[in-house]
Amino acid sequence: MFGMNRQESADSPLDRRSVLKGSLAASAAAAVSSLASTATASPATTRSDSPASAKVILFQGDSITDAGRDRKRQGTNDSRSLGRGYPAFVAADLLSEKPAHGYQIHNRGISGNKVPDLKKRWEADCLQLKPEVLSILIGVNDIWHKLNGRYDGTVEDYEKGYHDLLVETQAALPETTIVICEPFVLRCGAVNDKWFPEFDQRREAARSIADSMGLLLVPFQEMFDKACADVPASYWAGDGVHPTLAGHALMAAAWRKVVGI
Amino acid sequence: MFGMNRQESADSPLDRRSVLKGSLAASAAAAVSSLASTATASPATTRSDSPASAKVILFQGDSITDAGRDRKRQGTNDSRSLGRGYPAFVAADLLSEKPAHGYQIHNRGISGNKVPDLKKRWEADCLQLKPEVLSILIGVNDIWHKLNGRYDGTVEDYEKGYHDLLVETQAALPETTIVICEPFVLRCGAVNDKWFPEFDQRREAARSIADSMGLLLVPFQEMFDKACADVPASYWAGDGVHPTLAGHALMAAAWRKVVGI
């Protein structure tokens, strides 16, 4: 039954559509629907296989990815290792929908990390894990810590550091599908006017890197902006930075749509 | 856009089908597909509204429901209050799919609980919360603690205690949709031949109560038995009792299918 075609898959009883009796909110629906038109297309990725065939998936980033995981656990696929965020939701769906696929899903996000922090631990926490799909969400601390006076990296530092890290990654893991998750903030909580326009410049830097290197991009900012049409921004991220349960679930759906897993 | 009809809902981009490029495992798909034919039908429930319109949802039970939640937090809808199990997965989907619906989703499962433990805390942890949908998963500790010599309740004690609790609940909350989650074990880890046939008798007691009282039943045992066709039982519950991330995700999908939310 493995390898059943798209139509058979669509008719499966595990299909979430079949259990959804209520209506979907326009804003949330629009938030995810927009992704197809805005995400960087995948043809430029170097992997010959599609991400759908990948077994080893690694989520990298800061606290949004970390999401309360138990960092003492280095395992794959279990809820304590994966945390309470979008990596766990993606993993839960994949592991329950395709139990015999052989997924090994890692989370190595660490709260507070910026690009230079990823650089320091990249060999052990990325390259050695040999991910077939590598997802990275990094950037909000690069500006937040600067606003707090704890860091002095510029937009240019962010773009160059991130780009160099990805060049190094592509050299070491030429077959890996790399997924750039766009940094995002919502206008509430800790996020005020001081964040702008620099935050948008950093977002644009991440998008530009994805575009120039032919990497997949998950446009989380646009998704959240649209999702805020019907509910306050704090519904999706109380402090404007860290998603709520609902926000993480929306991210997971968007991630899967863009990556095509 | 709220209240859009079934067809429009089905076409929504938030539909998980649209993001599922891979194939679904036969066993997992069959596990959930079987539910429609085995679940107790809903017409006998006393609520006039369908569960899909409910805002206040309460998950009650033992460690499987508790799933590592922070019991000091009494809030709704957030990941720490809801834990890492099926209640969080159900909540994540509902909260992201229908952000403006006004859900208040509680988890009050407590590790180690048996029916008598629920009875002691029912006023504060259930009746006062006035759930519109009340989901209960209880029974595995009623036998497990007996096998360990820490409890002496019989199958009859379980059935009478559970039934009486539900009669009390229906009297206090006549409009509430009550969902009985069938107790389940998988043949691995801590679960050995000593559990049988008594465990099956307790399962049958829970099913019988749901049937006689016209309550919804989520047949988790059948679901997991079918899901074990392609992977070892430990894939779904390492110790035979507590589901893995994949097991919880499967439970959440089954719960939504039966409850119709």
Side-chain angles (χ1 to χ4, degrees):
Chain A
M1 284 293 289
F2 290 91
M4 50 187 170
N5 69 28
R6 184 76 176 79
Q7 185 55 44
E8 286 167 332
S9 167
D11 290 336
S12 161
L14 254 184
D15 173 2
R16 298 297 179 100
R17 183 176 81 178
S18 66
V19 304
L20 183 59
K21 297 279 178 70
S23 61
L24 291 170
S27 59
V32 176
S33 74
S34 69
L35 301 183
S37 58
T38 57
T40 298
S42 57
T45 55
T46 52
R47 263 186 73 82
S48 50
D49 298 335
S50 88
S53 66
K55 291 179 171 56
V56 184
I57 300 174
L58 170 62
F59 290 94
Q60 262 292 1
D62 52 36
S63 57
I64 300 167
T65 304
D66 184 328
R69 73 183 177 94
D70 181 348
R71 291 183 215 150
K72 294 188 295 294
R73 299 169 79 102
Q74 299 284 301
T76 58
N77 301 355
D78 80 288
S79 60
R80 289 179 193 278
S81 302
L82 290 167
R84 298 185 184 86
Y86 70 97
F89 291 127
V90 170
D93 280 354
L94 298 182
L95 292 164
S96 61
E97 290 167 7
K98 298 173 72 178
H101 183 77
Y103 283 115
Q104 300 172 49
I105 305 176
H106 304 263
N107 184 353
R108 288 291 190 281
I110 292 187
S111 184
N113 268 199
K114 303 178 295 294
V115 168
D117 302 304
L118 293 189
K119 170 79 177 167
K120 288 175 197 163
R121 59 188 183 85
W122 210 238
E123 176 65 30
D125 280 358
C126 174
L127 304 185
Q128 288 185 10
L129 297 173
K130 296 182 170 52
E132 292 163 88
V133 172
L134 165 63
S135 174
I136 309 173
L137 172 54
I138 197 79
V140 74
N141 291 312
D142 298 68
I143 177 172
W144 201 358
H145 292 193
K146 187 180 175 195
L147 290 170
N148 290 338
R150 298 160 53 195
Y151 180 62
D152 61 4
T154 63
V155 175
E156 292 68 31
D157 291 332
Y158 171 72
E159 183 161 8
K160 182 174 190 313
Y162 203 174
H163 179 268
D164 290 352
L165 187 71
L166 292 167
V167 168
E168 172 192 340
T169 306
Q170 282 192 324
L173 303 170
E175 299 297 313
T176 298
T177 296
I178 299 177
V179 182
I180 303 299
C181 297
E182 181 187 28
F184 60 90
V185 290
L186 283 72
R187 293 263 194 168
C188 61
V191 179
N192 55 30
D193 288 345
K194 293 181 183 172
W195 289 63
F196 303 93
E198 184 173 328
F199 185 78
D200 288 330
Q201 294 164 358
R202 290 173 182 264
R203 278 203 304 113
E204 189 49 49
R207 296 178 74 105
S208 172
I209 291 168
D211 186 53
S212 68
M213 296 181 73
L215 309 178
L216 292 175
L217 176 86
V218 188
F220 281 137
Q221 185 68 58
E222 182 178 353
M223 177 197 79
F224 276 122
D225 287 346
K226 291 188 176 175
C228 289
D230 288 343
V231 289
S234 58
Y235 182 88
W236 302 110
D239 66 0
V241 172
H242 298 96
T244 57
L245 184 67
H248 275 294
L250 204 64
M251 290 173 69
W255 191 95
R256 288 191 68 186
K257 184 172 176 71
V258 169
V259 181
I261 304 187
Chain B
M1 284 294 287
F2 290 90
M4 51 187 169
N5 70 27
R6 184 75 177 79
Q7 185 55 43
E8 286 166 333
S9 168
D11 290 335
S12 162
L14 252 184
D15 172 2
R16 299 298 179 99
R17 183 174 84 178
S18 68
V19 304
L20 183 60
K21 298 282 180 66
S23 61
L24 292 170
S27 58
V32 175
S33 74
S34 69
L35 301 182
S37 59
T38 58
T40 299
S42 58
T45 55
T46 53
R47 264 185 72 83
S48 51
D49 297 335
S50 85
S53 67
K55 291 180 169 58
V56 184
I57 300 175
L58 169 62
F59 290 93
Q60 263 291 2
D62 52 35
S63 56
I64 299 167
T65 304
D66 185 329
R69 72 184 178 94
D70 181 349
R71 291 182 215 150
K72 295 188 294 293
R73 298 169 80 101
Q74 300 283 300
T76 58
N77 301 355
D78 79 288
S79 61
R80 289 179 194 276
S81 302
L82 289 167
R84 298 186 184 85
Y86 70 98
F89 291 126
V90 170
D93 279 354
L94 297 182
L95 292 164
S96 62
E97 291 169 5
K98 297 174 72 178
H101 183 77
Y103 283 115
Q104 300 172 47
I105 306 177
H106 303 263
N107 184 353
R108 288 291 190 282
I110 293 187
S111 183
N113 267 202
K114 303 178 294 294
V115 168
D117 302 304
L118 293 189
K119 170 76 176 169
K120 289 176 198 164
R121 61 188 183 85
W122 209 237
E123 177 64 30
D125 280 358
C126 174
L127 304 186
Q128 289 186 9
L129 297 173
K130 296 183 171 51
E132 293 164 87
V133 171
L134 164 63
S135 174
I136 309 173
L137 172 54
I138 198 76
V140 73
N141 291 313
D142 299 67
I143 177 172
W144 201 358
H145 293 194
K146 188 180 173 193
L147 291 169
N148 289 340
R150 298 161 52 194
Y151 181 62
D152 61 3
T154 63
V155 175
E156 292 70 29
D157 292 333
Y158 172 71
E159 183 161 9
K160 182 174 189 314
Y162 202 175
H163 179 267
D164 290 353
L165 186 71
L166 293 167
V167 168
E168 172 192 340
T169 307
Q170 282 193 324
L173 303 170
E175 300 296 313
T176 298
T177 297
I178 300 177
V179 182
I180 303 298
C181 297
E182 182 187 28
F184 60 88
V185 290
L186 283 72
R187 294 263 193 167
C188 60
V191 178
N192 55 30
D193 288 345
K194 292 180 184 174
W195 289 63
F196 301 94
E198 187 174 325
F199 185 79
D200 288 330
Q201 293 163 359
R202 291 174 181 265
R203 277 204 303 114
E204 188 49 48
R207 296 179 75 104
S208 172
I209 291 168
D211 186 52
S212 67
M213 297 181 72
L215 309 177
L216 292 174
L217 176 86
V218 189
F220 281 138
Q221 184 67 59
E222 182 178 352
M223 177 197 79
F224 275 123
D225 288 346
K226 290 187 178 177
C228 289
D230 288 344
V231 288
S234 59
Y235 182 88
W236 302 109
D239 65 0
V241 171
H242 297 96
T244 57
L245 183 68
H248 275 294
L250 205 64
M251 290 174 69
W255 191 96
R256 288 191 68 185
K257 184 174 176 71
V258 169
V259 180
I261 306 186

